[in-house]
Coordinates of all heavy atoms in Angstrom, one line a residue:
W1134 N -4.8 -18.2 -8.1 CA -6.2 -18.1 -8.7 C -6.2 -17.1 -9.8 O -5.8 -16.0 -9.7 CB -7.1 -17.8 -7.6 CG -8.6 -17.8 -8.0 CD1 -9.4 -18.9 -8.0 CD2 -9.4 -16.8 -8.5 NE1 -10.7 -18.6 -8.4 CE2 -10.7 -17.3 -8.7 CE3 -9.2 -15.4 -8.8 CZ2 -11.7 -16.5 -9.2 CZ3 -10.2 -14.6 -9.3 CH2 -11.5 -15.2 -9.5
Q1135 N -6.7 -17.6 -11.0 CA -6.7 -16.7 -12.2 C -8.1 -16.2 -12.5 O -9.1 -17.0 -12.6 CB -6.2 -17.5 -13.4 CG -4.8 -18.0 -13.3 CD -3.8 -16.9 -13.3 OE1 -3.9 -15.9 -14.0 NE2 -2.8 -17.0 -12.4
Y1136 N -8.2 -14.9 -12.6 CA -9.5 -14.2 -12.9 C -10.0 -14.7 -14.3 O -11.2 -14.9 -14.5 CB -9.3 -12.7 -12.8 CG -10.5 -11.9 -13.2 CD1 -11.7 -11.9 -12.4 CD2 -10.6 -11.2 -14.4 CE1 -12.8 -11.2 -12.8 CE2 -11.7 -10.4 -14.7 CZ -12.8 -10.5 -13.9 OH -13.9 -9.7 -14.3
K1137 N -9.1 -14.8 -15.2 CA -9.4 -15.2 -16.6 C -10.1 -16.5 -16.7 O -11.0 -16.8 -17.5 CB -8.1 -15.2 -17.5 CG -8.4 -15.2 -19.0 CD -8.2 -13.9 -19.6 CE -8.3 -13.9 -21.1 NZ -8.4 -12.6 -21.6
E1138 N -9.6 -17.4 -15.8 CA -10.2 -18.8 -15.8 C -11.6 -18.8 -15.3 O -12.5 -19.5 -15.8 CB -9.4 -19.7 -14.9 CG -9.7 -21.2 -15.0 CD -9.3 -21.8 -16.3 OE1 -8.3 -21.3 -16.9 OE2 -10.0 -22.8 -16.7
A1139 N -11.9 -17.9 -14.3 CA -13.2 -17.8 -13.7 C -14.2 -17.1 -14.7 O -15.4 -17.3 -14.6 CB -13.2 -16.9 -12.5
Q1140 N -13.7 -16.4 -15.7 CA -14.5 -15.6 -16.7 C -15.1 -16.6 -17.7 O -16.0 -16.2 -18.4 CB -13.7 -14.5 -17.3 CG -13.4 -13.3 -16.5 CD -12.7 -12.3 -17.3 OE1 -11.5 -12.4 -17.6 NE2 -13.4 -11.2 -17.6
K1141 N -14.5 -17.7 -18.0 CA -14.9 -18.6 -19.1 C -16.3 -19.0 -19.0 O -16.8 -19.5 -18.0 CB -14.0 -19.8 -19.1 CG -12.5 -19.6 -19.5 CD -11.8 -20.9 -19.6 CE -10.3 -20.7 -20.0 NZ -9.6 -22.0 -20.0
N1142 N -17.0 -18.8 -20.2 CA -18.4 -19.2 -20.3 C -18.5 -20.7 -20.7 O -17.6 -21.2 -21.4 CB -19.1 -18.4 -21.3 CG -19.3 -17.0 -20.8 OD1 -19.5 -16.7 -19.6 ND2 -19.3 -16.0 -21.7
L1143 N -19.6 -21.4 -20.3 CA -19.7 -22.8 -20.5 C -21.2 -23.2 -20.5 O -22.1 -22.4 -20.0 CB -18.9 -23.6 -19.5 CG -19.0 -23.3 -18.0 CD1 -20.3 -23.8 -17.4 CD2 -17.8 -23.7 -17.3
L1144 N -21.5 -24.3 -21.0 CA -22.9 -24.9 -20.7 C -22.8 -25.5 -19.4 O -22.0 -26.4 -19.1 CB -23.2 -26.0 -21.8 CG -23.4 -25.5 -23.2 CD1 -23.7 -26.7 -24.1 CD2 -24.7 -24.6 -23.3
R1145 N -23.7 -25.1 -18.5 CA -23.6 -25.5 -17.1 C -23.6 -27.0 -16.9 O -24.3 -27.7 -17.6 CB -24.8 -24.9 -16.3 CG -26.2 -25.5 -16.7 CD -27.3 -24.9 -15.9 NE -28.6 -25.4 -16.3 CZ -29.7 -24.8 -16.2 NH1 -29.8 -23.6 -15.8 NH2 -30.8 -25.4 -16.6
T1146 N -22.7 -27.4 -16.1 CA -22.5 -28.9 -15.8 C -23.4 -29.4 -14.7 O -23.5 -30.6 -14.5 CB -21.0 -29.2 -15.5 OG1 -20.7 -28.5 -14.3 CG2 -20.1 -28.7 -16.6
H1147 N -24.0 -28.5 -13.9 CA -24.9 -28.8 -12.9 C -25.8 -27.6 -12.5 O -25.3 -26.5 -12.7 CB -24.2 -29.4 -11.6 CG -23.0 -28.6 -11.2 ND1 -22.0 -29.1 -10.4 CD2 -22.7 -27.3 -11.4 CE1 -21.1 -28.2 -10.2 NE2 -21.5 -27.1 -10.8
T1148 N -26.9 -27.8 -11.9 CA -27.8 -26.7 -11.5 C -27.3 -26.2 -10.2 O -27.9 -25.2 -9.6 CB -29.2 -27.1 -11.5 OG1 -29.4 -28.3 -10.8 CG2 -29.8 -27.3 -12.9
T1149 N -26.2 -26.8 -9.6 CA -25.7 -26.2 -8.3 C -25.2 -24.8 -8.5 O -25.1 -24.1 -7.5 CB -24.6 -27.2 -7.8 OG1 -25.0 -28.5 -8.0 CG2 -24.3 -26.9 -6.4
A1150 N -24.9 -24.4 -9.7 CA -24.5 -23.1 -10.0 C -25.6 -22.1 -9.6 O -25.4 -21.0 -9.1 CB -24.1 -22.9 -11.5
V1151 N -26.9 -22.5 -9.9 CA -28.1 -21.7 -9.6 C -28.2 -21.7 -8.0 O -28.6 -20.7 -7.5 CB -29.3 -22.3 -10.2 CG1 -30.5 -21.5 -9.9 CG2 -29.1 -22.4 -11.7
S1152 N -28.0 -22.9 -7.4 CA -28.1 -22.9 -5.9 C -27.1 -21.9 -5.3 O -27.4 -21.3 -4.3 CB -27.8 -24.3 -5.4 OG -28.7 -25.3 -6.0
A1153 N -25.9 -21.8 -5.9 CA -24.9 -20.9 -5.3 C -25.4 -19.5 -5.4 O -25.2 -18.7 -4.5 CB -23.6 -21.1 -6.1
R1154 N -26.0 -19.1 -6.6 CA -26.5 -17.8 -6.8 C -27.6 -17.5 -5.7 O -27.7 -16.4 -5.1 CB -27.1 -17.6 -8.2 CG -26.1 -17.5 -9.3 CD -26.8 -17.4 -10.6 NE -25.9 -17.4 -11.8 CZ -25.3 -16.3 -12.2 NH1 -25.6 -15.1 -11.7 NH2 -24.5 -16.3 -13.3
M1155 N -28.5 -18.5 -5.5 CA -29.6 -18.3 -4.6 C -29.1 -18.2 -3.1 O -29.7 -17.4 -2.3 CB -30.6 -19.4 -4.7 CG -31.3 -19.5 -6.1 SD -32.2 -18.0 -6.6 CE -33.5 -18.1 -5.4
L1156 N -28.1 -19.0 -2.8 CA -27.5 -18.9 -1.4 C -26.8 -17.5 -1.2 O -27.0 -16.9 -0.1 CB -26.6 -20.0 -1.2 CG -27.2 -21.4 -1.1 CD1 -26.1 -22.5 -1.0 CD2 -28.1 -21.5 0.2
Y1157 N -26.1 -17.1 -2.2 CA -25.5 -15.8 -2.1 C -26.5 -14.7 -1.9 O -26.4 -13.7 -1.1 CB -24.6 -15.5 -3.4 CG -24.1 -14.1 -3.4 CD1 -23.0 -13.7 -2.6 CD2 -24.6 -13.1 -4.2 CE1 -22.5 -12.4 -2.6 CE2 -24.1 -11.8 -4.3 CZ -23.1 -11.5 -3.5 OH -22.6 -10.2 -3.5
K1158 N -27.7 -14.8 -2.7 CA -28.7 -13.8 -2.6 C -29.3 -13.8 -1.1 O -29.6 -12.8 -0.6 CB -29.8 -14.1 -3.6 CG -31.0 -13.1 -3.6 CD -32.0 -13.5 -4.7 CE -33.2 -12.6 -4.7 NZ -34.2 -12.9 -5.8
A1159 N -29.5 -15.1 -0.6 CA -30.1 -15.2 0.8 C -29.1 -14.6 1.8 O -29.6 -14.0 2.8 CB -30.3 -16.6 1.1
A1160 N -27.8 -14.7 1.6 CA -26.8 -14.2 2.5 C -26.8 -12.6 2.5 O -26.3 -12.0 3.5 CB -25.4 -14.7 2.2
Q1161 N -27.3 -12.0 1.5 CA -27.3 -10.5 1.4 C -28.5 -9.9 2.2 O -28.6 -8.7 2.3 CB -27.3 -10.1 0.0 CG -26.3 -10.7 -0.9 CD -24.9 -10.7 -0.3 OE1 -24.3 -9.7 0.1 NE2 -24.4 -12.0 -0.2
Q1162 N -29.4 -10.8 2.6 CA -30.6 -10.2 3.4 C -30.1 -9.7 4.8 O -29.2 -10.3 5.4 CB -31.7 -11.3 3.5 CG -32.1 -11.9 2.2 CD -32.7 -10.8 1.3 OE1 -33.5 -9.9 1.7 NE2 -32.3 -10.9 0.0
P1163 N -30.8 -8.7 5.3 CA -30.5 -8.2 6.6 C -30.4 -9.3 7.7 O -29.6 -9.3 8.6 CB -31.5 -7.1 6.9 CG -32.0 -6.7 5.6 CD -32.0 -8.0 4.7
K1164 N -31.4 -10.2 7.7 CA -31.5 -11.3 8.7 C -31.7 -12.5 7.9 O -32.6 -12.6 7.1 CB -32.6 -11.0 9.7 CG -32.6 -12.1 10.8 CD -33.7 -11.8 11.8 CE -33.7 -12.9 12.9 NZ -34.7 -12.7 13.9
F1165 N -30.9 -13.5 8.2 CA -31.0 -14.8 7.4 C -32.3 -15.6 7.8 O -32.6 -15.6 9.0 CB -29.8 -15.7 7.7 CG -30.0 -17.1 7.2 CD1 -29.8 -17.4 5.8 CD2 -30.3 -18.2 8.0 CE1 -30.0 -18.6 5.3 CE2 -30.5 -19.4 7.5 CZ -30.3 -19.7 6.1
K1166 N -33.0 -16.1 6.8 CA -34.2 -16.9 7.1 C -34.0 -18.3 6.4 O -33.5 -18.3 5.3 CB -35.4 -16.3 6.5 CG -35.9 -15.0 7.1 CD -37.1 -14.4 6.4 CE -37.5 -13.1 7.1 NZ -38.7 -12.5 6.4
P1167 N -34.2 -19.4 7.1 CA -34.1 -20.7 6.6 C -34.8 -20.8 5.2 O -35.9 -20.3 5.1 CB -34.6 -21.6 7.6 CG -34.5 -20.9 8.9 CD -34.7 -19.4 8.5
I1168 N -34.2 -21.5 4.3 CA -34.8 -21.7 3.0 C -34.8 -23.2 2.5 O -33.8 -23.9 2.9 CB -34.2 -20.8 1.9 CG1 -32.7 -21.0 1.9 CG2 -34.5 -19.3 2.1 CD1 -32.0 -20.3 0.8

């Protein structure tokens, strides 16, 4: 796995990238709540 490849900027190909950010944010809460 290459860090350089993960760094590349792009025009998003799907809004699932936003979903990943929101799920990661929900996982950081002290207690998980369904969303």
Side-chain angles (χ1 to χ4, degrees):
W1134 187 86
Q1135 298 292 320
Y1136 177 68
K1137 194 99 173 172
E1138 191 68 30
Q1140 287 183 286
K1141 288 183 179 178
N1142 289 326
L1143 47 81
L1144 289 176
R1145 66 183 179 206
T1146 61
H1147 46 201
T1148 50
T1149 316
V1151 182
S1152 301
R1154 288 180 183 271
M1155 297 302 292
L1156 289 171
Y1157 173 74
K1158 182 179 178 181
Q1161 308 316 302
Q1162 302 304 314
K1164 185 178 179 181
F1165 172 77
K1166 293 181 181 179
I1168 54 174

